[in-house]
Amino acid sequence: MRQVFGAQHPRIVELRRLIGRRSSRSETIVLEGPRTVGEALDSGHRPTTVVVPETAADDVAVAAIDDRLAGLCEWLVVRDHVFEKLAPSSSPQPMLAFVPRPSSALPHLGPRAVVLVLADVGDPGNVGTLIRAADAVAADAVVVAGGADPWGPKAVRSSAGSVLRVPIVQFPDITDAIDALREAGIRVVGTDVTGGEPHDRGVLTSPVAIVMGSEPHGLDGEVEVDAWCHIAMPGRTESLNVAMAGTLLLYEARRG
């Protein structure tokens, strides 16, 4: 029978501070829910600490993760109200896992490579959804330069676990990212609302990296890419949500 901790226990206070200070530069990420933690274990990511609410301590899914970890990390059971205050989301799944931030380098990129590049995409929900779309088309990597943290709780939830399966490569700025992709032999295509070639006319032939810009401003026109493309919209809307547009472009790149 494990001890149940309250809000004033020093270790819980420490974890609350850690979550409160978490940023895109933090060495630790927070995963929510037994399913996500299980996918992290499947991908080779082992938590250092797991926290579960008292009423879920004996749940089958929670117990399965406990069995897989077999005492290899710190396991804390806390009062339900403490867990709710500790969790970064308003409706948390019954498990929090503190995991060292994963880091990836660009994998080997062959002649059929498709890479998604996110330049200052600021909404974590869009970032997670785009990573999920990249996973759906078996993209080789997602490159993130600025914008929302792909390992933030909302981005991880929106990715539905894909963030744990697709190599996520972070660069300090878009120029460094593009230089690295070119060195790997990848053609870099920028996206625009109306400029460049239609997206379905061969411009996204692999190996290709598709660069998506920020939600309010798109991709800076001064970014040096190899080509530009747009999605033709014969209707009356002016633009698509970045996650929707990125999904269409990824499927076209994989098809071509």
Side-chain angles (χ1 to χ4, degrees):
M1 183 69 179
R2 284 190 169 101
Q3 181 180 356
V4 180
F5 295 103
Q8 301 309 312
H9 188 276
R11 184 64 177 129
I12 304 305
V13 172
E14 182 181 359
L15 292 175
R16 189 185 303 120
R17 289 174 179 167
L18 178 64
I19 291 175
R21 294 196 304 265
R22 203 203 66 77
S23 72
S24 60
R25 294 182 296 276
S26 299
E27 296 180 358
T28 301
I29 65 169
V30 182
L31 303 179
E32 290 186 18
R35 179 177 178 179
T36 301
V37 176
E39 290 179 340
L41 292 172
D42 292 341
S43 302
H45 305 296
R46 180 184 295 174
T48 56
T49 299
V50 172
V51 182
V52 298
E54 183 179 12
T55 55
D58 296 324
D59 284 0
V60 173
V62 171
I65 298 298
D66 193 5
D67 289 342
R68 290 186 66 179
L69 289 170
L72 295 176
C73 78
E74 179 184 37
W75 188 282
L76 302 174
V77 180
V78 300
R79 305 293 182 192
D80 284 24
H81 71 278
V82 174
F83 184 85
E84 291 172 2
K85 292 181 178 179
L86 188 64
S89 65
S90 57
S91 300
Q93 296 294 311
M95 177 177 289
L96 298 178
F98 296 77
V99 179
R101 175 181 287 272
S103 61
S104 297
L106 279 176
H108 171 72
L109 299 172
R112 293 284 296 161
V114 173
V115 177
L116 179 65
V117 183
L118 308 182
D120 293 317
V121 176
D123 184 280
N126 285 334
V127 170
T129 300
L130 283 162
I131 292 171
R132 186 176 184 179
D135 188 18
V137 303
D140 296 81
V142 174
V143 171
V144 179
D149 181 7
W151 295 105
K154 186 175 180 181
V156 172
R157 286 196 306 276
S158 298
S159 81
S162 292
V163 72
L164 298 163
R165 294 186 289 268
V166 180
I168 308 298
V169 188
Q170 293 184 265
F171 284 88
D173 59 57
I174 188 60
T175 300
D176 290 341
I178 290 174
D179 287 347
L181 288 162
R182 284 202 178 110
E183 288 177 7
I186 304 301
R187 185 165 173 265
V188 180
V189 177
T191 54
D192 188 75
V193 174
T194 58
E197 303 176 49
H199 80 289
D200 56 355
R201 302 288 178 84
V203 68
L204 296 178
T205 301
S206 57
V208 66
I210 304 166
V211 188
M212 309 297 298
S214 68
E215 293 89 344
H217 305 298
L219 186 62
D220 188 336
E222 295 185 1
V223 173
E224 294 186 4
V225 296
D226 299 310
W228 290 87
C229 77
H230 70 275
I231 299 171
M233 289 176 286
R236 287 174 290 181
T237 188
E238 293 182 355
S239 64
L240 296 175
N241 168 272
V242 66
M244 182 181 294
T247 299
L248 286 173
L249 297 173
L250 282 165
Y251 272 93
E252 178 62 28
R254 183 51 77 201
R255 185 181 71 85

